[in-house]
Amino acid sequence: MSNVLRIGNREISYEQAKEMLFPELIPQKGNEAILAEHPHDKVEDLAVVYCLDLYSSDGTMMSARVNQAILDAFGVTADQMKQDALENAPKTHPATFRSMEEVLSAMMGGIPMPTPDEGQPRLYVASTETMNRGAGVLAYPDFLQEASEKIGGNFFILPSSIHELLFLKDTGDVTRQELASMVKSVNAAEVSPQEQLSDHVYHYDGQDRVFELAEKYEARKMHREMERPSVLGTLGKAKEAQKDQPVKAKPAKTQEAVI
């Protein structure tokens, strides 16, 4: 029989707990004490911690972050817990991927929202069905790659809050600096400090399947372009190589003597 965790008058086995686990995304900065006591995975300047959803309904949630004491009570390792969380959470806490218009329409009781004009950037909202600490869907296996396929290429990730992330297709029309300025402004004016993730902008490269800070993507892209040989450069090297080849003597023409 597996060990159990007692919470108040409730006893929870690990088999039950596996269905309650979900990842939560938090900033590393300011949460050093939490990260020191809770198993986590670092993702750039963010961190994924793991929680038990003890009660979730109508957008409200009572939960407990998994620490070493909880792991000891269950008799499982941190690695096993993380594996089970990322395997089960997509089923028990399904991810949602909707356009901003869909989200606003749902918040307004179904009133249709105008869609962007053709060619205008379109924002997508990534979260869970309850939109409560839903930014953790970032850790769901293959979620970012599936989003890339739906969006149609690379995209920026704007850390709206611990509850949701905003995705914007990377078309080259908006700079990372412009997006970072917008995120910082919204954080300062509209998001409580307890719910902020970061002032940074992130990027997902669908071809290379890489999530990273947007400035890292720019540096990686620039480095790749510098290493790419040009057609003219390749042609010039070929000509130089030909010059270094030894010149072969042409065979002398001979004439047959007429007798």
Side-chain angles (χ1 to χ4, degrees):
M1 181 178 178
S2 62
N3 297 338
V4 297
L5 175 68
R6 182 182 293 276
I7 300 179
N9 296 324
R10 185 180 179 186
E11 287 189 345
I12 303 171
S13 69
Y14 185 64
E15 286 303 309
Q16 294 171 311
K18 286 196 294 187
E19 304 297 316
M20 303 160 66
L21 289 166
F22 70 95
E24 178 187 10
L25 194 65
I26 62 174
Q28 290 183 38
K29 186 176 180 180
N31 287 312
E32 291 82 3
I34 291 174
L35 297 180
E37 298 178 356
H38 295 77
H40 62 278
D41 295 303
K42 293 182 178 179
V43 187
E44 292 293 6
D45 60 339
L46 305 174
V48 178
V49 293
Y50 298 85
C51 306
L52 287 171
D53 185 353
L54 303 174
Y55 173 82
S56 184
S57 178
D58 300 326
T60 61
M61 178 184 290
M62 184 175 74
S63 65
R65 289 188 178 128
V66 177
N67 57 19
Q68 190 59 48
I70 291 178
L71 291 177
D72 292 342
F74 285 137
V76 297
T77 64
D79 287 343
Q80 183 64 56
M81 179 273 297
K82 293 176 184 179
Q83 179 181 328
D84 291 333
L86 297 181
E87 180 179 339
N88 288 290
K91 294 175 284 189
T92 59
H93 297 73
T96 58
F97 182 81
R98 298 177 289 171
S99 68
M100 179 63 81
E101 302 84 66
E102 291 178 272
V103 173
L104 292 177
S105 177
M107 293 173 64
M108 298 293 289
I111 299 175
M113 294 288 116
T115 58
D117 295 333
E118 186 70 25
Q120 292 298 309
R122 192 172 195 179
L123 279 172
Y124 294 88
V125 182
S127 187
T128 56
E129 290 181 342
T130 62
M131 294 192 74
N132 194 323
R133 282 182 276 178
V137 297
L138 180 79
Y140 284 12
D142 299 323
F143 179 72
L144 292 177
Q145 187 61 27
E146 291 169 2
S148 175
E149 292 169 3
K150 292 175 182 177
I151 291 175
N154 298 351
F155 58 89
F156 292 104
I157 297 99
L158 312 183
S160 178
S161 75
I162 62 172
H163 303 299
E164 71 280 316
L165 302 169
L166 301 183
F167 293 177
L168 179 68
K169 185 174 180 178
D170 179 5
T171 61
D173 297 325
V174 183
T175 67
R176 182 249 313 170
Q177 291 85 349
E178 290 173 322
L179 293 174
S181 178
M182 181 177 71
V183 169
K184 189 172 183 178
S185 175
V186 171
N187 276 340
E190 301 181 25
V191 185
S192 66
Q194 296 79 10
E195 297 188 342
Q196 290 181 20
L197 278 175
S198 171
D199 285 339
H200 295 135
V201 175
Y202 306 86
H203 187 276
Y204 184 73
D205 184 332
Q207 181 176 350
D208 294 341
R209 300 192 174 210
V210 175
F211 169 84
E212 59 198 334
L213 286 161
E215 54 261 42
K216 285 188 178 181
Y217 169 73
E218 290 179 355
R220 188 165 59 87
K221 181 181 178 183
M222 183 178 298
H223 180 70
R224 185 167 53 196
E225 289 176 349
M226 290 174 63
E227 289 187 332
R228 184 181 303 157
S230 67
V231 175
L232 289 176
T234 303
L235 183 60
K237 289 180 180 178
K239 287 183 176 180
E240 289 297 324
Q242 285 181 349
K243 290 180 181 179
D244 295 335
Q245 295 296 321
V247 178
K248 294 183 179 180
K250 293 182 180 180
K253 292 183 178 180
T254 58
Q255 290 183 344
E256 293 184 1
V258 179
I259 300 175

